Amino acid sequence: MTASVHAPVDVVCLGESMVTFLPTHEGRLADVPSFVRGIGGAESNVACALAAAGHRTRWVGRVGADGFGDHLVETIAAYGVDTSAVVRDPERPTGIYFRTATDRATDAHEVLYYRAGSAASAMSPHTVPAGAVRSARVLHVSGITAALSPDCLALMRDLTARRQDRPLVSFDVNHRPGLWRSGADPEVLLDLARGADLVFVGEDEAEEAWGLRGASAIREALPEPSTVVVKRGAAGAVSFTRDGLSPSPRSASDTVTTAPAPRVTVAAPVGAGDAFAAGFLAATLRGRPARDRLRHGHLWAAAALTVRGDLAAPPAADRADRLVALDDEAWGRLHLGPGWTGEDQEVRTP
């Protein structure tokens, strides 16, 4: 990586962002008559959500020297994200994709990516300035980037290599089998995750990618990260946080924390994973305890689930803090619906 000078930030998010076309109606892509333009990208979603909450963030990426690239950079910057490290590629296009309105986990969900040979696929250890990445408290990346090209995989291996001068590395597994051509994704993703300090992984994707069942088995396979967060959908999430420092991660003890998810009336089942990561990271930056980090993750995910797009404004900090502080019984009664983050709408409880 080449050296450069960049202002310190709280979080750097590195990865591909694309222009996404959201359907105006439910149904097959073949039947949807029109789409609304938006932006999508796991890492830039996290950067935008954190910036909207007042954290200093930088998105590091690569886009084409085209109108879609203009739209991405301008939209992400409008959230308050530093885009000074984004490279405009005159030879490769900005990626785009179309998707249906249905849940990604269902057979009815369709996604059409037009990202092969995209500008982002040209990211490598030689094209991403080290100063833009390392001048942060946290570096957030995901397994999606590793699938884009051999150069991107080399970049991810470099970023997750353990060295003294790196920030805390946050890694969201984000297993997308359709992006991988070699079939090496399970081994690659496991290796990258083991190099991170904080790992987010869905219980379902861990079973799909690694054949692991249950949160404890996932932690056993990932002993190196100081924190592993296993997302369990509507059932909530569990975090494993290693106590103290140990030469052998397997000999260190964990603090295991579980937080159920509140009930949510879903407007569109997209963006929740990125929002959860952003909420968890925001609480981490604020030095909150493990239970609060998980609950903030759930609340930010609920904000994303109750809007139609991939991105949602996070709940105001004071509002979220009041909900996070509820006792277990009151937390279990929460039922969040569209508009719940608005100042004029109270959270509904049965």
Side-chain angles (χ1 to χ4, degrees), residues 190 201 203 206-207 210-223 228 230 238 240 250:
L190 186 62
V201 61
E203 196 170 42
E207 182 172 358
W210 304 321
L212 299 173
R213 294 187 178 183
S216 295
I218 296 169
R219 177 49 159 168
E220 180 66 21
L222 295 172
V228 173
V230 180
V238 56
F240 298 84
R250 293 184 186 276

Side-chain angles (χ1 to χ4, degrees), residues 19-22 35-39 67-68 71 75:
V19 172
T20 176
F21 290 91
L22 311 174
F35 297 82
V36 175
R37 184 182 64 176
I39 66 170
F68 287 146
H71 176 65
T75 302

Side-chain angles (χ1 to χ4, degrees), residues 24-47:
T24 56
H25 299 82
E26 293 188 0
R28 302 184 310 154
L29 286 177
D31 301 326
V32 174
S34 58
F35 297 82
V36 175
R37 184 182 64 176
I39 66 170
E43 301 84 3
S44 60
N45 286 348
V46 171

Side-chain angles (χ1 to χ4, degrees), residues 2 27 80 103 175-176 232 247 250 272 282 290 304 311 334 340 343:
T2 58
D103 189 337
H175 183 221
R176 301 287 186 268
R232 306 174 66 193
R250 293 184 186 276
L311 276 169
L334 286 182
W340 74 270
E343 294 300 325

Side-chain angles (χ1 to χ4, degrees), residues 94-298:
T94 303
I96 65 173
Y97 74 98
F98 297 77
R99 67 166 173 82
T100 52
T102 50
D103 189 337
R104 182 180 283 121
T106 69
D107 292 337
H109 184 68
E110 299 174 71
V111 182
L112 287 180
Y113 289 107
Y114 297 90
R115 70 197 308 179
S118 69
S121 69
M123 290 190 295
S124 77
H126 307 293
T127 62
V128 173
V133 172
R134 295 177 186 167
S135 56
R137 295 170 61 186
V138 177
L139 168 63
H140 181 72
V141 293
S142 88
I144 295 173
T145 302
L148 300 181
S149 70
D151 280 344
C152 283
L153 175 55
L155 173 63
M156 288 294 295
R157 291 196 185 281
D158 183 75
L159 294 175
T160 56
R162 295 192 178 276
R163 54 169 63 95
Q164 291 185 343
D165 63 342
R166 78 177 196 179
L168 184 147
V169 176
S170 166
F171 179 73
D172 193 334
V173 173
N174 265 330
H175 183 221
R176 301 287 186 268
L179 293 178
W180 292 86
R181 300 177 182 178
S182 65
D185 44 311
E187 180 180 352
V188 169
L189 291 173
L190 186 62
D191 187 46
L192 294 175
R194 294 180 69 176
D197 302 299
L198 165 61
V199 174
F200 298 98
V201 61
E203 196 170 42
D204 54 348
E205 67 180 343
E207 182 172 358
E208 179 183 36
W210 304 321
L212 299 173
R213 294 187 178 183
S216 295
I218 296 169
R219 177 49 159 168
E220 180 66 21
L222 295 172
E224 294 86 356
S226 56
T227 301
V228 173
V229 179
V230 180
K231 299 175 291 183
R232 306 174 66 193
V238 56
S239 68
F240 298 84
T241 304
R242 190 167 63 244
D243 293 332
L245 298 175
S246 169
S248 174
R250 293 184 186 276
S251 67
S253 60
D254 270 332
T255 296
V256 182
T257 307
T258 300
R263 285 177 293 167
V264 178
T265 299
V266 177
V270 292
D274 301 333
F276 181 95
F280 188 96
L281 288 173
T284 300
L285 290 167
R286 296 169 62 198
R288 304 302 293 268
R291 187 207 67 168
D292 291 9
R293 297 180 191 189
L294 291 172
R295 284 189 173 186
H296 275 285
H298 287 320

